[in-house]
Amino acid sequence: MILITHEESLAISHFDTGFKRRSDEIPEYHESARAKRVVLAYLIANNNLDNYIMDNVQWMYESLSTAQDTCTLVVYYKPYASNKYLDTAEILEFQTDGYGKINGQEILKGTSLTKENIIAQAKHHQALLGIATNPSIMKENLRMMQDIAPAQSYGLIFGSHASGWLPSPNAANTRSFGWDGIQSNTIDIPELASTLEQSFPSGNLEFTLFDACMMGTAEVFYELRNATHYCVASVMETPVAGFPYDRFFINLYDDSIDYAEICNETAQYNRENNWWGTYAAVDCTAMGNMAQAIQTELTSHQSELQTIDYTQVQQYGYGDYKNFSFDVIDFISQLNGGNIPASIQSSIDQAVIAKDCLDRKEYPLMTLKIDPDRFCGMGMYLPGKNINYTWDRYCQSSIAWYNAAGWNELQP
């Protein structure tokens, strides 16, 4: 039986806007000693992913418990109304001493390792209540999380529903990242990038990992180029179970993170469960060079652009999202008669530092099949090909990649 995706599960979910408040007082946040790196997790689970995202917290805890040094995890968690362990949005703090304790208590193991006990062992801090995707709410909660655990650098995990850079089918705004409650409150990618830049003004956000669908596109990576150094994401819809944090989470505290391990372990986890998946780690600071290389190719191949059959290019969307993103290298290769220009190859090698995917024959997402030989690690929309009028308008008006990559310079 195939596990449903984050996005497909929306169709069968039923949301409840009500939630209970905690009757006991939540301790105020405090400052701890400055660490070299702290991992933050911003988890918007006020939707039908709540049980899966709660599993993710347990996996993070399991990996954190193996630390041989002091490591801190700070989690913003917005629960669904039926969550058994949290009544409202809270910030949870976990700090290991490297000697078998977390928050001064013995590490939970065996039958004691339950979600209930993990949440009970956390240090609870009152989060700023409100829509989790609202930029001002997100900024304040990220500020409090950094106050709780000051560090030289941070890693940030985002967990929720997402649909990449795409605009909402029913509104002018996008449904890019996040799904907070029945109103389907989201934050678009330009707003998210601005929020992160303001939340980490020192430029010390080392990586952002999107445990969410369809975020692995040039449009997203370029938008985040001034917000985060590295970004880990999938260009496809992702299985609801999320990343297998128990396999690699503790290594996110390393001075030099092995991003290939993250991609490989996640692909292997999906393989073991007969799912699907593409994963890549991208150096967002290299996206400027990537955009310039793409612009050169588009400008010099305008005639080929008029006749290219985009249905023959590897694409990554399924169902309503079909053709939202095409493989960058496969597209450029077809523009060049099967050849890849050196400038393009150099720019993608600089940008994509790790990648892995599952073979199309054994692990398809329904009818969507991915060819590993045509997967470069990054997707890109093709505006102006009559794929979707709303997508074209939004891409042209709101997504920085559109101008940076030279789509605006092409002759109509």
Side-chain angles (χ1 to χ4, degrees), residues 268-289:
Q268 178 59 27
Y269 173 64
N270 291 5
R271 184 178 292 110
E272 292 168 5
N273 287 280
N274 199 34
W275 300 336
W276 64 91
T278 66
Y279 299 93
V282 169
D283 184 343
C284 294
T285 66
M287 288 304 297
N289 291 336

Side-chain angles (χ1 to χ4, degrees), residues 221 230-233 259-260 262-263 279-283 351-355 377:
F221 297 138
Y230 299 103
C231 185
V232 180
Y259 288 102
I262 299 173
C263 297
Y279 299 93
V282 169
D283 184 343
V352 179
I353 61 172
K355 63 175 181 173

Side-chain angles (χ1 to χ4, degrees), residues 42-241:
Y42 199 88
L43 308 179
I44 306 175
N46 184 24
N47 51 58
N48 59 335
L49 295 178
D50 188 38
N51 289 336
Y52 300 104
I53 296 179
M54 189 60 68
D55 284 338
N56 296 160
V57 173
Q58 177 169 336
W59 297 344
M60 293 178 195
Y61 179 97
E62 289 181 45
S63 186
L64 186 68
S65 69
T66 67
Q68 300 299 306
D69 200 352
T70 300
C71 295
T72 302
L73 164 66
V74 182
V75 178
Y76 166 87
Y77 199 102
K78 179 72 175 289
Y80 185 49
S82 62
N83 190 294
K84 299 177 181 177
Y85 316 110
L86 295 170
D87 296 324
T88 188
E90 293 187 28
I91 296 174
L92 310 173
E93 178 188 0
F94 301 91
Q95 185 178 85
T96 177
D97 62 2
Y99 295 98
K101 292 185 177 182
I102 290 181
N103 293 343
Q105 303 175 49
E106 293 297 324
I107 288 172
L108 300 169
K109 298 179 181 179
T111 57
S112 296
L113 182 61
T114 64
K115 298 181 185 67
E116 181 178 13
N117 289 341
I118 289 172
I119 298 304
Q121 193 177 82
K123 293 181 181 178
H124 292 249
H125 308 274
Q126 178 65 66
L128 179 63
L129 302 180
I131 302 302
T133 53
N134 180 291
S136 61
I137 299 292
M138 184 178 289
K139 280 187 288 188
E140 178 59 17
N141 281 313
L142 288 173
R143 182 195 67 77
M144 287 194 290
M145 294 165 79
Q146 292 173 75
D147 284 349
I148 289 167
Q152 295 178 25
S153 75
Y154 291 93
L156 177 59
I157 296 171
F158 276 118
S160 193
H161 284 293
S163 59
W165 65 272
L166 291 180
S168 169
N170 300 313
N173 66 326
T174 71
R175 143 183 184 325
S176 303
F177 172 74
W179 189 274
D180 187 357
I182 196 170
Q183 297 298 322
S184 307
N185 295 291
T186 67
I187 185 169
D188 63 29
I189 297 307
E191 275 191 320
L192 179 61
S194 176
T195 298
L196 292 181
E197 289 175 38
Q198 294 174 46
S199 298
F200 299 90
S202 299
N204 60 344
L205 183 55
E206 179 69 8
F207 71 84
T208 301
L209 185 154
F210 285 104
D211 197 341
C213 294
M214 302 162 56
M215 300 298 284
T217 69
E219 291 83 1
V220 173
F221 297 138
Y222 185 81
E223 209 74 49
L224 296 175
R225 69 195 183 283
N226 297 319
T228 186
H229 193 167
Y230 299 103
C231 185
V232 180
S234 171
V235 71
M236 293 178 66
E237 294 185 56
T238 56
V240 291

Side-chain angles (χ1 to χ4, degrees), residues 218-219 222-223 287 290-291 294 380 399-407:
E219 291 83 1
Y222 185 81
E223 209 74 49
M287 288 304 297
M290 186 83 233
I294 294 294
M380 176 179 70
I399 301 299
W401 174 258
Y402 181 85
N403 289 344
W407 290 106

Side-chain angles (χ1 to χ4, degrees), residues 318-394:
Y318 171 72
D320 291 340
Y321 303 108
K322 184 177 181 180
N323 296 327
F324 93 99
S325 196
F326 297 81
D327 192 88
V328 171
I329 294 299
D330 196 42
F331 168 66
I332 295 297
S333 173
Q334 295 200 35
L335 279 185
N336 286 274
N339 298 315
I340 303 174
S343 60
I344 290 291
Q345 189 63 60
S346 175
S347 63
I348 199 72
D349 288 344
Q350 293 174 25
V352 179
I353 61 172
K355 63 175 181 173
D356 201 350
C357 75
L358 301 187
D359 185 85
R360 60 180 177 176
K361 296 179 181 179
E362 298 179 82
Y363 307 98
L365 170 56
M366 303 300 184
T367 58
L368 177 58
K369 300 179 180 180
I370 307 303
D371 184 347
D373 294 331
R374 300 167 72 188
F375 171 62
C376 78
M378 185 186 306
M380 176 179 70
Y381 182 57
L382 305 182
K385 301 301 292 183
N386 297 318
I387 293 173
N388 186 297
Y389 177 70
T390 302
W391 296 356
D392 282 356
R393 287 189 62 188
Y394 181 75

